């Protein structure tokens, strides 16, 4: 044990650190309970084609915490990601999003309303992942092509052969794969060329200063051109202003998402109009 009395003694029990650890542990057990008690909810943020037509929604998880109120993912995803809770949470989100999209499918049979679901690296790598996607589709009755999975570059750090295989199986199911937060992680152009990814999602950080930072403008232009040269569709996230929207339009971006066009909201309060016709679906 430490004799924490001397001048240069090591302090094993930093009170701040102790507090941080106990907060983490509390959050962990609260998350576990939240799953059992069904305290999570999905919000949906619209995605628009360059023509202005709505073609889908990204599902974003929220936590109705019994004491702290509504919490966004930044408050809990990291802790969930550090243990296997993210897998259960992600499977729940996948099931719920497919059920919702299946309702849209039945309500708007002539139109395209996709749902886009975020998949954490740990969930992607879990052994039953492909099966859980197949089951979510089966149980909800959702057509596979109406489901989009948002994967991040960070899941491609290693075991590339296995990743290629898994993505191929997902793409065989008929679902669409999107590469989220593009440009912030570690994917190589080799991956981009090889993997069955249909859509590239430009990270918000490149969109934010689009009208003031010439480097960001060139980066975004390059991502758009690269995507098109590789026959992939490209969507910008975090579009907050008319200026950003117009710059992106001028550079030929295919699709848009952001507060300028629509904020995330619960399923019941969505205004669903100007939906893309099934005959003019992109991808
Ligand atoms: P993401 O997938 O990159 O999602 C986009 C985030 O940007 C969302 O934050 C969204 O609300 C926010 N956003 C959208 N438009 C704008 C805008 O114009 N301006 C700004 N400043 N922000 C905008 P949110 O909902 O807090 O989610 C944060 C992250 O949490 C997501 O980033 C995603 O990585 C993760 N996440 C959310 N739901 C799930 C889930 O069900 N499963 C997993 N594994 N991760 C999730
Ligand atoms: Mg996303
Ligand atoms: Mg994103
Ligand atoms: Mg992002």
């Amino acid at each position: 044990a430490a004799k924490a009395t001397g001048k240069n003694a090591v302090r094993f029990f930093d009170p701040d650190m102790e507090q941080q650890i106990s907060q983490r542990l509390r959050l962990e057990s609260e998350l576990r309970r939240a799953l059992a008690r069904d305290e999570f909810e999905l919000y949906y943020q619209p995605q628009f084609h360059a023509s202005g037509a709505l073609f889908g929604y990204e599902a974003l998880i929220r936590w109705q915490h019994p004491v702290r109120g509504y919490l966004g993912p930044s408050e809990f995803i990291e802790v969930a990601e550090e243990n296997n809770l993210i897998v259960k949470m992600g499977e729940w989100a996948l099931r719920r999003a497919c059920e919702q999209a299946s309702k849209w499918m039945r309500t708007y049979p002539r139109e395209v309303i996709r749902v886009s679901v975020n998949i954490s690296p740990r969930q992607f790598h879990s052994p039953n992942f492909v099966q859980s996607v197949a089951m979510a589709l089966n149980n909800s009755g959702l057509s596979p092509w109406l489901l989009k999975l948002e994967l991040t570059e960070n899941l491609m750090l290693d075991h590339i052969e296995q990743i290629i295989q898994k993505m191929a199986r997902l793409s065989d199911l008929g679902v669409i794969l999107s590469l989220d937060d593009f440009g912030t992680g570690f994917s190589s152009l080799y991956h981009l060329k090889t993997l069955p990814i249909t859509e590239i999602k430009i990270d918000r950080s490149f969109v934010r200063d689009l009208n003031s930072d010439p480097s960001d403008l060139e980066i975004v232009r390059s991502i758009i051109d690269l995507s098109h040269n590789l026959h992939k569709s490209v969507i910008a996230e975090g579009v907050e202003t008319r200026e950003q929207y117009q710059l992106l339009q001028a550079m030929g971006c295919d699709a848009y998402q952001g507060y300028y066009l629509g904020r995330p909201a619960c399923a019941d309060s969505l205004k669903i109009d100007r939906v893309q016709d099934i005959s003019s679906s992109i991808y």
Side-chain angles (χ1 to χ4, degrees):
K3 272 194 195 163
T5 45
K7 212 176 168 191
N8 299 312
V10 180
R11 297 197 55 178
F12 284 100
F13 294 104
D14 178 341
D16 283 352
M17 200 192 279
E18 206 183 340
Q19 210 196 344
Q20 271 179 28
I21 292 170
S22 73
Q23 260 176 21
R24 256 190 136 67
L25 288 175
R26 173 146 35 92
L27 189 57
E28 238 183 83
S29 72
E30 284 179 344
L31 279 171
R32 238 176 272 282
R33 209 179 47 201
L35 273 167
R37 292 186 184 174
D38 208 16
E39 288 170 3
F40 295 108
E41 196 179 323
L42 291 181
Y43 267 36
Y44 296 90
Q45 185 178 31
Q47 300 185 327
F48 297 91
H49 187 251
S51 66
L54 174 88
F55 68 91
Y57 290 93
E58 177 176 7
L60 296 160
I61 199 162
R62 300 289 180 264
W63 179 8
Q64 178 88 70
H65 190 285
V67 180
R68 295 164 67 201
Y70 250 77
L71 302 180
S74 61
E75 310 268 356
F76 58 88
I77 283 279
E78 219 183 286
V79 169
E81 180 77 46
E82 278 166 17
N83 49 64
N84 264 319
L85 278 171
I86 192 75
V87 178
K88 284 255 179 311
M89 191 187 293
E91 284 171 354
W92 174 86
L94 187 61
R95 276 198 308 274
R96 175 58 63 88
C98 286
E99 285 161 12
Q100 180 59 57
S102 177
K103 276 185 203 157
W104 291 328
M105 184 179 82
R106 283 175 272 132
T107 315
Y108 305 91
R110 302 294 314 147
E111 290 154 324
V112 180
I113 307 181
R114 295 193 151 88
V115 76
S116 201
V117 182
N118 291 285
I119 305 296
S120 89
R122 208 166 171 136
Q123 186 186 359
F124 180 87
H125 289 298
S126 73
N128 293 327
F129 179 59
V130 178
Q131 200 192 343
S132 73
V133 173
M135 279 189 28
L137 288 168
N138 257 319
N139 294 341
S140 65
L142 180 68
S143 298
W145 63 281
L146 292 173
L147 175 62
K148 187 157 81 180
L149 303 178
E150 295 197 6
L151 312 172
T152 62
E153 298 167 280
N154 296 339
L155 68 80
M156 297 193 267
L157 286 181
D158 43 27
H159 307 299
I160 192 69
E161 284 310 317
Q162 257 166 275
I163 293 161
I164 292 175
Q165 260 190 29
K166 213 170 229 193
M167 288 195 186
R169 285 168 63 205
L170 290 166
S171 143
D172 285 347
L173 282 181
V175 305
I176 291 164
L177 302 182
S178 175
L179 194 51
D180 203 358
D181 303 332
F182 184 75
T184 62
F186 296 94
S187 71
S188 67
L189 297 176
Y190 171 78
H191 296 150
L192 212 53
K193 188 186 89 170
T194 318
L195 297 170
I197 289 163
T198 302
E199 178 189 81
I200 304 275
K201 207 163 179 187
I202 304 171
D203 190 63
R204 191 166 84 215
S205 60
F206 300 117
V207 174
R208 196 192 314 118
D209 303 319
L210 212 50
N211 51 352
S212 59
D213 186 335
S215 311
D216 283 339
L217 192 72
E218 288 316 313
I219 289 171
V220 168
R221 193 196 307 282
S222 305
I223 297 176
I224 293 172
D225 291 347
L226 177 70
S227 305
H228 288 160
N229 291 336
L230 295 174
H231 309 292
K232 296 181 190 310
S233 170
V234 60
I235 181 168
E237 69 174 12
V239 182
E240 292 184 353
T241 67
R242 184 192 168 88
E243 291 71 39
Q244 291 166 343
Y245 184 67
Q246 287 175 336
L247 286 168
L248 287 158
Q249 285 263 8
M251 290 187 283
C253 190
D254 302 305
Y256 304 83
Q257 183 180 351
Y259 295 165
Y260 175 64
L261 299 157
R263 289 183 176 257
C266 64
D268 292 337
S269 68
L270 300 174
K271 267 194 297 168
I272 301 183
D273 54 30
R274 291 206 59 203
V275 185
Q276 192 175 42
D277 193 80
I278 208 160
S279 61
S280 58
S281 163
I282 57 167
Y283 304 131

